[in-house]
């Protein structure tokens, strides 16, 4: 591993000044779990890493917003904090469920919310869940801040729309008590391994009738992706075997799934059909 500088600013202003270098070898660092692997593999050779660990403020903590409309997660919140948070358990049990099979406890003790999103690896478990929950990210820079839906920060494989000199400060997830959500992690090996595909679903039900919904597919594509066609099949109708079969076929038709060492495209298409239906059955208790 080549040497590099590690800066540990104490304020947001200091951090932004250190990052405003116009140099791609100067990067922010949250928990550093993915970044260190990339450095060791010499995929990334930094000149300077700017640690966000001591900034505090909006980068820390889990709390209900002042107006009660959403739950905010500071960008430096670790996965272990999420996993054991009473607030998250109360409002978003699907997020806690996701934590149980995400990597391992050593990673969860260090990995942070903001860095996980900025890394933009399509195999990650949490980004599709944020998308299904209609979460937004607050992005700050010297020029101010902007609030964008999570899906809008992913541009492709390891690519985001976050500009140099910008930082994710928090994730804001709307509180929607009527909605039920789940995440299905489909692996071909151990449950903590990278998924062959992930399916995140959030639904507003009236009995078995779907008032509204969001379905997100991950891992089998270059980025987490809303399954709009499958949503259209189910929105406004009742969940039954016919509608779920039609939704599965619509999902397979609207995306181009990749073959890799976790399975062929044909195999993953089959997994998508099967696990999409199973996820809805679990949500309605059938």
């Amino acid at each position: 591993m080549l040497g590099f500088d590690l800066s540990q600013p104490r304020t947001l202003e200091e951090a932004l000044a250190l990052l405003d270098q116009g140099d791609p070898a100067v990067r922010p660092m949250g928990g550093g779990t993915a970044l260190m692997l990339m450095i060791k593999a010499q995929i990334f050779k930094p000149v300077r890493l700017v640690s966000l660990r001591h900034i505090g403020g909006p980068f820390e903590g889990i709390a209900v917003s002042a107006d009660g409309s959403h739950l905010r997660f500071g960008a430096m919140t670790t996965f272990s904090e999420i996993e054991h948070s009473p607030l998250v358990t109360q409002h978003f049990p699907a997020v806690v469920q996701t934590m149980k099979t995400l990597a391992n406890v050593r990673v969860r003790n260090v990995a942070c919310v903001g860095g996980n999103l900025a890394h933009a690896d399509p195999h990650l478990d949490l980004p599709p869940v944020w998308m299904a929950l209609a979460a937004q990210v607050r992005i700050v820079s010297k020029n101010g801040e902007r609030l964008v839906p999570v899906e809008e920060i992913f541009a492709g494989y390891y690519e985001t729309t976050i500009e140099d000199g910008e930082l994710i400060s928090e994730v804001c997830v709307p509180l929607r008590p009527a909605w039920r959500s789940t995440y299905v992690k489909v692996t071909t090996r151990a449950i903590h391994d990278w998924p062959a595909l992930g399916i995140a679903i959030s639904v507003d039900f009236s009995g078995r009738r779907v008032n509204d919904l969001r379905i997100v597919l991950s891992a089998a594509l270059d980025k987490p992706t809303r399954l709009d066609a499958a949503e259209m099949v189910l929105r406004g109708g009742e969940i039954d075997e016919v509608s779920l079969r039609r939704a599965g076929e619509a999902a397979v038709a609207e995306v181009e799934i990749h073959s890799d060492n976790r399975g062929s495209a044909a195999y993953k298409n089959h997994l998508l059909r099967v696990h999409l239906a199973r996820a809805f059955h679990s949500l309605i208790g059938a």
Side-chain angles (χ1 to χ4, degrees):
M1 184 187 297
L2 299 175
F4 56 86
D5 292 333
L6 176 63
S7 300
Q8 301 190 62
R10 299 285 169 166
T11 67
L12 175 59
E13 291 73 20
E14 185 183 353
L16 292 173
L18 289 166
L19 290 168
D20 189 20
Q21 307 290 324
D23 186 347
V26 177
R27 294 281 183 88
M29 183 178 75
T33 51
L35 198 57
M36 288 299 111
L37 292 176
M38 294 177 71
I39 293 171
K40 288 179 180 179
Q42 298 190 33
I43 297 171
F44 174 54
K45 299 178 181 180
V47 171
R48 177 190 297 130
L49 295 180
V50 180
S51 172
L52 308 178
R53 186 173 301 276
H54 302 295
I55 292 179
F59 285 77
E60 290 184 335
I62 303 169
V64 177
S65 63
D67 64 2
S69 65
H70 64 270
L71 193 65
R72 60 162 301 276
F73 297 77
M76 291 300 293
T77 303
T78 67
F79 290 165
S80 286
E81 290 177 274
I82 292 174
E83 181 180 359
H84 300 292
S85 165
L87 272 176
V88 183
T89 300
Q90 176 187 353
H91 296 290
F92 301 112
V95 174
V96 175
Q97 166 208 349
T98 302
M99 292 296 102
K100 303 298 184 183
T101 58
L102 193 156
N104 56 63
V105 67
R106 297 183 302 279
V107 170
R108 296 198 296 272
N109 283 342
V110 179
C112 300
V113 168
N116 183 253
L117 283 168
H119 187 47
D121 185 329
H123 298 93
L124 297 175
D125 295 304
L126 198 50
V129 178
W130 293 138
M131 285 175 58
L133 294 173
Q136 296 181 300
V137 290
R138 193 176 306 279
I139 299 174
V140 297
S141 71
K142 283 185 174 181
N143 299 320
E145 63 179 46
R146 57 192 178 103
L147 193 63
V148 300
V150 166
E151 53 261 44
E152 292 185 10
I153 70 173
F154 301 117
Y157 197 75
Y158 287 98
E159 293 182 289
T160 74
T161 59
I162 302 170
E163 302 288 344
D164 291 341
E166 289 188 324
L167 294 171
I168 295 174
S169 65
E170 63 182 9
V171 178
C172 304
V173 190
L175 295 172
R176 303 183 297 181
W179 289 62
R180 285 178 260 167
S181 307
T182 190
Y183 172 68
V184 179
K185 178 175 183 175
V186 185
T187 65
T188 55
R189 303 169 189 171
I191 191 61
H192 294 90
D193 194 14
W194 291 119
L197 59 84
I199 306 171
I201 302 173
S202 191
V203 190
D204 177 13
F205 282 114
S206 293
R208 297 176 70 96
R209 182 180 177 83
V210 177
N211 299 319
D212 199 4
L213 77 166
R214 295 170 67 93
I215 306 173
V216 182
L217 176 66
S218 64
L221 306 166
D222 287 341
K223 62 179 181 178
T225 302
R226 286 276 299 274
L227 298 180
D228 296 323
E231 291 179 10
M232 287 181 64
V233 169
L234 297 172
R235 188 176 286 110
E238 292 202 356
I239 295 297
D240 56 30
E241 293 304 323
V242 173
S243 64
L244 289 175
R245 186 161 53 250
R246 289 177 54 227
E249 293 304 325
V252 167
E254 70 178 304
V255 292
E256 184 178 352
I257 285 180
H258 307 310
S259 297
D260 57 23
N261 61 0
R262 291 172 181 82
S264 67
Y267 174 60
K268 292 182 185 180
N269 283 333
H270 173 69
L271 292 177
L272 175 54
R273 294 184 185 97
V274 170
H275 287 281
L276 182 64
R278 289 181 181 177
F280 275 93
H281 281 307
S282 72
L283 286 173
I284 62 176

